Amino acid sequence: MKDFIARWHLSAWDTGLMTASLELGSLIGALTAGVLTDKYSRRQSITAACTVFCVGSALQFGAQSPIQLILGRGTGGLGVGALSMLSPLYMAEISPPEVRGSLMALEQFAIVLGAVLGFWTGFFTRDIEGSASWRIPLGIQLIPGFLLGFGCLALPPSPRLLVAQGRVDEALRALAKLRLRTAAESATDPLLQIELLEMQAEAALIEQTTGNDDMHTAKPGTLQAELRAWGRLFEPQLLRRTLIGVVMMLFQQWSGINALLYYGPTLMRSLGLQGDSATLMSAGGIGIVQFLAVLPAIAFIDRLGRRPLLRWGSTAMALSHLLIALLVWRYSTDWPTHWLAAWISVGCVYTFTAAYGVSYGPIGWILPSEVFPLSARSKGVALSTASNWMNNFLIGLLTPVFMEHSPSGTFLVFATACSLGYLWSTYFVPETANISLEEMDAVFGSSVGREDVALKQQIEADLGLHDLVQRWARESTTARHPD
Ligand SMILES: O[C@H]1[C@H](O)[C@@H](O)[C@H](O)[C@@H](O)[C@H]1O
């Protein structure tokens, strides 16, 4: 890394631009992917986003000037932002409801694994002579970019999107592949048929209640149709879900995770640790704790539910921040004498990270992807993801200002955000575990009110869903009790 510093002589302005270009690119990427993914397929959009990401990584890898690095980070950011919106969307749409939380928590697992690998690659290459010390870690990004871009082509398309586009046969084939059924089985398997009919019922309901004007039929791609589709997120029917997605990401970021990651070394140094050990204990340690903490989330999130994890997580995070704020306020002028207080603070940083890692980390990505109905899902997830990047950017910008003003006050800000997060998860967030995406309307008491419930029942009856469910229930009872 000495080469990087000596070669570019970056001003504070360059450093700021370099950091902000990725976040700005990601913000734009998340919002534009929301526009493209309904028109094309989820998978094609993921492959396109990977291509953009790889172009950005190649620009960074071969950078000959700071401008090229900034451009490379901005371009890479476009891909990262798009992928951070497309991946949870696609995963939510292909997962069966009983294990959707666990499967989606794998996204957080992948994010944190990437961060850990990135950190250690940078750590081990930092003393290599010449530009290889920084070109290697930047170039390695190309590997996951290629893997995802090509690997995604082998995945089945989202059956929900196909149903909404009226391509029911293809949707059945995709569903059969996802649920590991053969073509012959898919024609007779009642569970598969029920799942498909539920998707058709939701698509038909959307079409009948909204005229499907904003999705595919009414002059798709026109600015007016786009604006109307975004505007629907703020109509009374969807406003609560939009707020859940956007506010979930706001709390995820204002819990302070990235402040600890970005400014951890400064904090650790202020606690008396020096040089490499400060970096290792902060970014390195926090990454590993986040990685370990997501494992129980993967195992238990569907059994325990999202709300309890959010509430316990907020409590543990708020208490950790509060204790750090107190200790920093009381002892930070003389840590060497109060070494025990310093180490308790370090312990609190890790306790916070573990609590975050099982709660706000994964649930931040899960909740926004499951609350929206199909007609508004891609826009809703895009807006929530944009909220993640926007708040991430604000944290990066404001934390140093807060820290300079009052280090203990900074932790109080995060403690307050976590306490508000507790109230919000208790009084505002419904439980979404084990509920199919099609049943989410009922969870939000949406809407849609009695007339739509009646309409939905009529559509389900017309499609033969009720008969099929009853026949399947009869057959499975007979199979269990043959006489
Ligand atoms: O879920 C992720 C993860 O926890 C990362 O460590 C953090 O940097 C991101 O901002 C967040 O969205």
Side-chain angles (χ1 to χ4, degrees), residues 214-293:
D214 44 42
M215 257 197 107
H216 311 290
T217 52
K219 296 184 211 114
T222 60
L223 184 64
Q224 202 190 6
E226 267 309 310
L227 291 178
R228 189 156 349 126
W230 286 102
R232 269 194 70 217
L233 293 176
F234 300 95
E235 286 173 5
Q237 247 189 0
L238 290 180
L239 186 61
R240 184 166 166 220
R241 310 187 207 203
T242 306
L243 284 178
I244 285 188
V246 170
V247 175
M248 176 69 251
M249 286 308 200
L250 181 140
F251 280 129
Q252 191 207 58
Q253 292 300 312
W254 283 89
S255 70
I257 182 68
N258 283 320
L260 292 184
L261 281 169
Y262 301 154
Y263 301 102
T266 319
L267 175 81
M268 295 288 176
R269 257 175 244 125
S270 75
L271 295 181
L273 294 161
Q274 299 300 326
D276 278 357
S277 22
T279 319
L280 278 174
M281 293 280 294
S282 55
I286 290 171
I288 291 174
V289 176
Q290 264 207 81
F291 177 74
L292 294 176

Side-chain angles (χ1 to χ4, degrees), residues 12-155:
W13 177 238
D14 292 331
T15 318
L17 265 182
M18 227 170 254
T19 316
S21 57
L22 185 117
E23 278 146 7
L24 193 68
S26 302
L27 186 69
I28 299 172
L31 290 171
T32 39
V35 175
L36 295 178
T37 190
D38 282 338
K39 237 193 260 170
Y40 306 101
S41 79
R42 311 295 196 222
R43 290 175 317 151
Q44 281 166 356
S45 311
I46 293 179
T47 306
C50 286
T51 313
V52 175
F53 172 77
C54 286
V55 170
S57 305
L59 279 173
Q60 294 168 59
F61 174 67
Q64 299 300 326
S65 65
I67 289 292
Q68 193 181 334
L69 260 179
I70 293 169
L71 270 179
R73 276 179 63 86
T75 315
L78 283 174
V80 171
L83 287 168
S84 66
M85 171 275 153
L86 293 164
S87 317
L89 177 71
Y90 176 68
M91 285 160 74
E93 288 189 348
I94 60 169
S95 305
E98 322 78 68
V99 288
R100 189 176 59 236
S102 297
L103 292 177
M104 295 189 67
L106 289 175
E107 177 179 7
Q108 172 72 356
F109 173 84
I111 293 176
V112 183
L113 179 65
V116 170
L117 292 178
F119 172 81
W120 288 107
T121 314
F123 195 77
F124 287 121
T125 55
R126 75 195 192 288
D127 289 331
I128 298 179
E129 281 301 308
S131 67
S133 59
W134 54 272
R135 288 196 201 275
I136 294 177
L138 290 178
I140 281 181
Q141 303 179 92
L142 286 162
I143 301 174
F146 274 116
L147 280 179
L148 180 60
F150 283 108
C152 187
L153 298 175
L155 296 175

Side-chain angles (χ1 to χ4, degrees), residues 456-473:
K456 187 167 186 204
Q457 281 177 354
Q458 185 57 50
I459 293 171
E460 287 177 353
D462 292 347
L463 287 168
L465 182 63
H466 296 165
D467 292 345
L468 192 62
V469 172
Q470 276 167 11
R471 207 175 66 224
W472 174 71

